[in-house]
Amino acid sequence: MLEIKNICKSFKDNTVLDGINIKIEKGDVVVLLGPSGSGKTTLLRCINFLEKADSGLITFDDVSADFTNITKKDISTLRKKTGFVFQNYNLFNNKTALDNVAIGLIHARKISPEEAYKISKNALDKVGLKDKYDFYPSQLSGGQQQRVGIARAFAFNPYVILFDEPTSALDPELISEVLSIMKNLAKEGTTMLVVTHEMSFAQEVANQVIFMDKGKIVEQGPPADIFTHPKEERTKQFLRRINNYTDYAI
């Protein structure tokens, strides 16, 4: 499905990704954990080519590319295989929910407006916004705006959806509605790579958890192993700090 090998990325003298290797199979839900500045978001952005990695290989099924000499054609081909859900929704404020989902299909995928709007309605229905087609972002709650963002990513029928802390900008009472949508997508077999601090989601939904720190993968494995029997001291420190030392048997 998706494999990245030895991805490296620096901003001037700051190494943000230092030889990252990940393999994701169809239907996997992989959660990336780690402190701020560990490279999680940069990794997602490199996979989606919002940032260009300095080196490394990326493979989607039978399509492979080397970041050191990747072409615009390669980027276009590979980007079409991903959907991206941003922290802060990234919706067009002057367009309705339906338009926000359809616009990428029309302009990036060259799908006819008639077909694009049909796909967009189905995507909005899936995230529980059937009655919000004509609403503008200012008329929607934060949770509803993020659901539009998820619908937009899902509408592209990507191989994998990349989620960059999708609940971080939400009020606490709105987090559950977005996580519920993500759980439903996972149950339907949607492949997902998720940056989040929602530990309950990682425990319940993920089949693989990756803990990153300082641009490296420190530890990875099934949630039961990472949360109850982490091997690395740095992983234990992180889990203790975010769970008040009590939630996990570490």
Side-chain angles (χ1 to χ4, degrees), residues 87-89 141-147 150 165-179 198:
Q87 292 183 33
N88 295 310
Y89 327 136
S141 70
Q144 290 169 335
Q145 290 183 64
Q146 190 59 291
R147 282 192 274 160
I150 294 172
E165 297 195 43
T167 60
S168 65
L170 299 178
D171 293 333
E173 64 268 23
L174 299 178
I175 290 174
S176 62
E177 69 180 63
V178 171
L179 292 179
E198 298 295 333

Side-chain angles (χ1 to χ4, degrees), residues 91-248:
L91 303 180
F92 293 103
N93 291 324
N94 63 339
K95 297 188 180 298
T96 65
L98 189 59
D99 289 334
N100 264 286
V101 178
I103 190 169
L105 296 171
I106 295 170
H107 293 286
R109 293 293 177 89
K110 308 301 180 184
I111 295 175
S112 71
E114 181 181 8
E115 181 65 16
Y117 279 102
K118 180 181 178 180
I119 292 170
S120 299
K121 287 179 180 179
N122 288 336
L124 287 169
D125 293 352
K126 180 173 283 291
V127 299
L129 294 177
K130 188 173 185 177
D131 59 340
K132 304 295 183 183
Y133 293 164
D134 298 323
F135 280 57
Y136 290 88
S138 62
Q139 298 172 302
L140 300 172
S141 70
Q144 290 169 335
Q145 290 183 64
Q146 190 59 291
R147 282 192 274 160
V148 174
I150 294 172
R152 178 179 57 194
F154 182 81
F156 276 74
N157 192 29
Y159 281 58
V160 58
I161 300 180
L162 311 172
F163 292 83
D164 184 17
E165 297 195 43
T167 60
S168 65
L170 299 178
D171 293 333
E173 64 268 23
L174 299 178
I175 290 174
S176 62
E177 69 180 63
V178 171
L179 292 179
S180 177
I181 296 297
M182 294 172 65
K183 290 175 183 178
N184 289 338
L185 290 177
K187 289 178 182 177
E188 293 174 3
T190 303
T191 308
M192 302 159 67
L193 179 58
V194 185
V195 174
T196 185
H197 289 297
E198 298 295 333
M199 297 298 104
S200 61
F201 175 86
Q203 283 185 293
E204 181 181 346
V205 182
N207 62 295
Q208 182 179 183
V209 173
I210 297 173
F211 174 64
M212 293 179 61
D213 189 33
K214 298 179 180 179
K216 294 179 177 290
I217 291 177
V218 176
E219 188 167 357
Q220 60 183 312
D225 292 346
I226 297 298
F227 289 123
T228 61
H229 302 291
K231 298 177 182 178
E232 302 297 327
E233 183 59 33
R234 183 66 187 93
T235 312
K236 296 176 183 179
Q237 291 173 355
F238 177 79
L239 292 175
R240 286 172 181 148
R241 286 172 182 166
I242 64 173
N243 292 287
N244 297 318
Y245 300 87
T246 59
D247 288 358
Y248 302 108

Side-chain angles (χ1 to χ4, degrees), residues 21-35:
N21 295 283
I22 296 176
K23 187 174 184 179
I24 300 173
E25 301 291 348
K26 184 176 181 180
D28 280 352
V29 178
V30 180
V31 167
L32 293 174
L33 301 179

